[in-house]
């Protein structure tokens, strides 16, 4: 995975080889790919080429043009904007991260970006950087970002901390209106996963989706099979393509890739505002997650599966495969008026004085063979995570949402009685407790209950109990979760 994970959860093995899926980042003097692309599409006048030399920020990026997002970039935020939760190396404050509304950390730190290349900060800029005469414009400036740092040192992640990062997104989803989780991270898929690892990550993804959040993950930066967790079927797996829709030379591929998006190169900025190029499936994932969040912001009635279906069924048919086309997706979702508003809102950059020199030779060519840069890697001696190929199954009837007749919390003892749990159905119960000095609750117990009553002890302050019903025979689908917010 492109993000790093640290620590070790009880009853769960460490995830080996987890790494950031970022790619090569190159500083450059001028950004010109977006201008050239838009001139070819007839979307802007050649006058833009004569913009003042003091002007650094473009009105949209080359990847926005390639993804059909030149108008959607400028759609204003609705009254209640949606947030994308980026689980990564953290986030640093700069003028292009003002849309970051929360900086959380799995170790209860300040959420600052500990990555040497500021991978998490870059992902948030690609997603939602505002137009402010600094750095770059994100693909969807109208959305908000919740950053969850899932690394403790900046040079690696553990499986346990990735799970905690996903759980943090789920826990704070109501506070920040989180609808999408972005995982620009992955571990190599070289064979069958051990059962505990597969079940723990599957449970985390399934619970997030059942709670109303899409989970988007990077396919990987290596020729070959798709990384884990992108290869898990319910995850929206994103591969990296160039601006023509051709698979990047470094990109992982396979039937698990749901969507391709611009990723070699992307037109970005460094945290200090300097223009740069970046390549990797991390970048393609952050872009896709942001477009998905914007779609759900403008169409709040779309649920997880419906929103993903809109993107997938309205994609370009390109050499790499189904490739993101935001314009077609938004029109199919009935957002033509919003796109027209966005088009009218594009700033007028008619030149005033001076001229900038644009050097096409400075831009790397699409599909550049440069190997992607690994942002965070566990020691090479650690055996890689093994992942089975996931297959699509026929949709199943869903179990009813859990109901409870009685809940009692007293002196570290929780008692509850299930009201509608059918015979043979299992209740999966997660206890979230807040320990002294911790910023937010974490999962401290995961229970599987076959009977109609649960009595269990806990330590710390019980903040939330999450309950889902599951059919051990897999005849019926998992229920939507019931979240009980408590104060012991």
């Amino acid at each position: 995975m492109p993000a790093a994970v640290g620590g070790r959860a009880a009853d769960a093995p460490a995830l080996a080889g987890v790494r950031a899926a970022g790619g090569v980042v190159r500083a450059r003097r001028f950004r010109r790919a977006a201008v050239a692309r838009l001139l070819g599409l007839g979307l802007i006048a050649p006058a833009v080429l004569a913009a003042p030399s003091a002007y650094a920020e473009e009105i949209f990026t080359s990847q926005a043009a390639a993804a059909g997002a030149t108008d959607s970039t400028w759609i204003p935020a609705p009254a209640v904007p949606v947030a994308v939760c980026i689980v990564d190396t953290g986030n640093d404050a700069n003028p292009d991260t003002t849309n970051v509304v929360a900086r959380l950390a799995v170790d209860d730190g300040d959420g600052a970006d500990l990555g040497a290349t500021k991978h998490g900060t870059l992902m948030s800029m690609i997603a939602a950087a505002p137009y402010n005469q600094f750095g770059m414009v994100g693909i969807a400036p109208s959305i908000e970002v919740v950053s969850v740092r899932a690394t403790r040192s900046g040079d690696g992640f553990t499986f346990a901390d990735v799970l905690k990062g996903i759980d943090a997104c789920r826990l704070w989803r109501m506070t920040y209106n989180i609808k999408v989780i972005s995982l620009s991270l992955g571990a190599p898929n070289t064979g069958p996963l051990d059962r505990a690892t597969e079940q723990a990550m599957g449970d985390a993804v399934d619970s997030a989706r059942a709670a109303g959040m899409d989970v988007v993950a990077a396919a990987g930066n290596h020729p070959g099979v798709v990384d884990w967790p992108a290869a898990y079927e319910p995850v929206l797996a994103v591969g990296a393509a160039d601006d023509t829709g051709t698979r990047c030379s470094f990109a992982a591929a396979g039937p698990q890739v749901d969507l391709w998006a611009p990723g070699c190169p992307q037109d970005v900025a460094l945290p200090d505002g300097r223009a740069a190029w970046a390549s990797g499936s991390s970048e393609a994932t952050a872009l896709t997650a942001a477009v998905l969040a914007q779609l759900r912001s403008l169409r709040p009635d779309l649920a997880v599966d419906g929103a993903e279906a809109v993107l997938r069924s309205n994609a370009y048919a390109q050499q790499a495969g189904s490739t993101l086309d935001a314009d077609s997706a938004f029109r199919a979702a009935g957002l033509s008026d919003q796109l027209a508003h966005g088009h009218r809102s594009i700033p007028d950059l008619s030149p005033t004085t001076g001229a900038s020199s644009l050097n096409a030779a400075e831009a790397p060519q699409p599909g550049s063979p440069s190997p992607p840069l690994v942002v965070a890697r566990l020691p090479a001696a650690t055996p890689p995570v093994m992942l089975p190929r996931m297959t699509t199954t026929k949709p199943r009837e869903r179990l009813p949402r859990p109901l409870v007749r009685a809940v009692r919390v007293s002196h570290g003892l929780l008692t509850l009685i299930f009201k509608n749990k059918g015979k043979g159905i299992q209740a999966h119960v997660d206890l979230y407790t807040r320990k002294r000095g911790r910023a937010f609750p974490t999962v401290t117990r995961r229970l599987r209950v076959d009977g109609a009553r649960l009595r269990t002890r806990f330590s710390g302050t019980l903040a939330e109990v999450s309950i889902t019903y599951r059919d051990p025979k897999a005849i019926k689908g998992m229920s939507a979760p019931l979240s009980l917010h408590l104060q012991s």
Side-chain angles (χ1 to χ4, degrees), residues 322-345:
S322 296
T323 305
L324 180 65
D325 180 1
D327 184 82
S328 294
F330 280 35
R331 291 186 189 282
L335 299 172
S336 295
D337 289 344
Q338 288 83 348
L339 287 169
H341 188 174
H343 187 78
R344 292 192 299 269
S345 301

Side-chain angles (χ1 to χ4, degrees), residues 66-303:
T70 53
D71 289 343
S72 60
T73 294
W74 294 97
I75 296 175
V80 182
V82 156
V84 58
C85 189
I86 297 179
V87 179
D88 212 289
T89 61
N91 189 272
D92 287 346
N94 69 46
D96 270 1
T97 62
T98 55
N99 285 352
V100 178
V101 295
R103 291 177 172 85
L104 310 175
V106 297
D107 60 359
D108 297 311
D110 59 10
D113 196 335
L114 300 183
T117 61
K118 304 300 180 183
H119 188 266
T121 301
L122 176 60
M123 295 306 105
S124 71
M125 292 167 66
I126 289 170
Y131 179 68
N132 58 2
Q133 309 299 309
F134 176 93
M136 65 178 293
V137 176
I139 196 78
S142 64
I143 67 170
E144 294 179 338
V145 174
V146 172
S147 170
V148 179
R149 176 165 58 75
T151 177
R152 297 168 186 261
S153 63
D155 59 1
F157 301 79
T158 64
F159 174 64
D161 283 343
V162 169
L163 290 179
K164 287 181 180 179
I166 295 172
D167 279 337
C169 297
R170 191 194 65 79
L171 185 66
W172 290 94
R173 70 190 185 281
M174 302 299 290
T175 302
Y176 297 110
N177 198 26
I178 298 170
K179 297 296 184 183
V180 180
I181 298 174
S182 182
L183 304 173
S184 285
L185 49 84
N189 168 8
T190 57
L193 277 178
D194 67 89
R195 184 170 179 81
T197 301
E198 180 180 353
Q199 180 172 338
M201 181 59 79
D203 284 353
V205 171
D206 292 346
S207 294
R209 286 174 55 83
M213 294 178 290
D214 300 274
V215 181
V216 186
N221 290 341
H222 51 82
V225 295
V226 173
D227 280 354
W228 174 264
Y232 181 48
E233 192 273 335
V235 172
L236 185 71
V238 179
D242 66 22
D243 285 0
T244 70
T246 301
R247 181 170 64 88
C248 300
S249 60
F250 57 78
Q256 298 95 343
V257 176
D258 296 296
L259 205 60
W260 296 85
C264 61
Q266 277 199 17
D267 178 17
V268 302
L270 301 178
D272 61 7
R274 287 179 295 159
W277 299 104
S279 294
S281 59
S282 278
E283 288 79 355
T285 298
L287 180 149
T288 302
V291 170
L292 185 58
Q294 185 184 27
L295 174 63
R296 295 195 64 183
S297 182
L298 298 169
R299 280 289 308 273
D301 57 310
L302 285 176

Side-chain angles (χ1 to χ4, degrees), residues 441-464:
T442 57
V443 178
T444 54
R445 296 206 68 185
R446 294 185 186 272
L447 305 170
R448 305 295 180 259
V449 184
D450 294 316
R453 179 191 297 266
L454 169 68
R455 284 173 61 86
T456 185
R457 292 198 172 277
F458 61 89
S459 59
T461 301
L462 186 61
E464 181 181 354

